[in-house]
Amino acid sequence: MTDSQESDITTQSFLEVIKDLHSQYKSLSEGKVANYIPELAKLNPNLFSICIVTVDGEIYEVGDYQQLFTIQSISKVFVYGQALEDHGKDYVLTRVGVEPTGDAFNAIILDEKSKRPYNPMVNAGAIATTSLIKGNGATEKLNRLLEMYKRYIGRDVFVDISVFTSERSTGHRNRATAHLMLNFGMIDQNIEEALDLYFQQCSVLVTCKDLAVMAATLANKGVNPITKEKAIDSQYIKDILSVMYTCGMYNFAGEWAYKVGIPAKSGVCGGIIAVVPGKMGIGVFSPLLDMRGNSVRGVKVCEELSHRLGLHLFESGKNS
Ligand code: GLN
């Protein structure tokens, strides 16, 4: 078999596999749409899409892949990258740890000894990370984050104002977390500005394809495989992927690492990104969530994809 025949088969099978998984799981109706942010309760529970983008820029998509939804916690990955670029790894480590919590994403806890939030993938750590974004005032900081998203996605992005204001007016748990961190000097005085920026970064509208392109950019050493633009300094990719691997799926992170075996991150709108370094980015969107706040269909699709395509990082032989 020639090389080109081989790659044709791989290419064809990516599309076939995701079409197959889409029809296999579209009737799965377990889980609930997030409603603690009132605006998110309006999401159509039937929406479902899967997308793969390879590091060569090939795109495979199925389902509602043009549907916009808010990125929510998936933003934490990219804002962490921006904080690393703004301050370097050593300083960021003094403000946010890299230990998995085993607790819910919105748990109001800090590390007993260091008083740092445990990691940048849970809310406490993400709010601390957001407070590190450089900029002269709120508008410049938001614009820097929107520019950052643009590099990863390849188009202008917008904040969904309804979702932002909905979370801003009900996000008392996040506000409490920020006050606890202020008490221990982990974030500075201006916590309302940091919270607003955090709620805005979570309210950026994306499609499932956008998620896959963002994931593929991380898989491609920080270079967007479609536009070829550099989104982040490649030296930080390993830091980002490491915390995604150990903490990205919250209190499901261990089981995810065991079963799926690739760095990933979920959001309460129902999005999941997964990164296969040097190969591809995966985006899945389905708003029905399990008890831990991860998309039910999204988790199933990634488990199956990993199994069928041999993506687990420690599965020797298949993934070479
Ligand atoms: N904006 C949401 C919150 O802070 C994000 C949570 C999530 O996606 N897990 O609660």
Side-chain angles (χ1 to χ4, degrees), residues 58-193:
E58 289 155 5
I59 303 169
Y60 306 96
E61 45 201 5
V62 60
D64 306 297
Y65 52 83
Q66 285 172 329
Q67 175 68 42
L68 287 165
F69 53 92
T70 54
I71 189 166
Q72 296 299 335
S73 280
I74 298 170
S75 66
K76 293 167 178 171
V77 168
F78 303 95
V79 177
Y80 184 56
Q82 186 65 59
L84 288 170
E85 283 198 316
D86 281 2
H87 298 276
K89 186 166 151 176
D90 292 344
Y91 181 73
V92 173
L93 268 177
T94 65
R95 295 301 189 100
V96 192
V98 287
E99 286 307 326
T101 60
D103 287 306
F105 68 86
N106 56 3
I108 308 178
I109 44 160
L110 302 178
D111 178 64
E112 189 99 357
K113 211 163 154 220
S114 67
K115 308 299 182 207
R116 286 178 311 182
Y118 277 90
N119 69 70
M121 301 291 114
V122 292
N123 288 10
I127 295 166
T129 306
T130 301
S131 77
L132 295 175
I133 297 307
K134 284 188 176 165
N136 196 4
T139 309
E140 191 178 310
K141 289 178 187 177
L142 175 61
N143 284 339
R144 288 193 71 230
L145 290 188
L146 296 177
E147 282 301 313
M148 171 203 78
Y149 279 120
K150 186 177 177 181
R151 294 194 299 276
Y152 280 100
I153 295 177
R155 64 168 175 82
D156 285 316
V157 296
F158 303 94
V159 170
D160 183 322
I161 300 296
S162 313
V163 174
F164 164 56
T165 49
S166 180
E167 184 167 11
R168 182 202 225 182
S169 57
T170 56
H172 307 304
R173 216 184 154 89
N174 285 326
R175 210 159 263 118
T177 305
H179 276 279
L180 185 66
M181 293 193 288
L182 174 63
N183 177 61
F184 288 114
M186 279 296 139
I187 59 176
D188 65 26
Q189 284 299 328
N190 209 348
I191 57 176
E192 284 305 322
E193 186 181 296

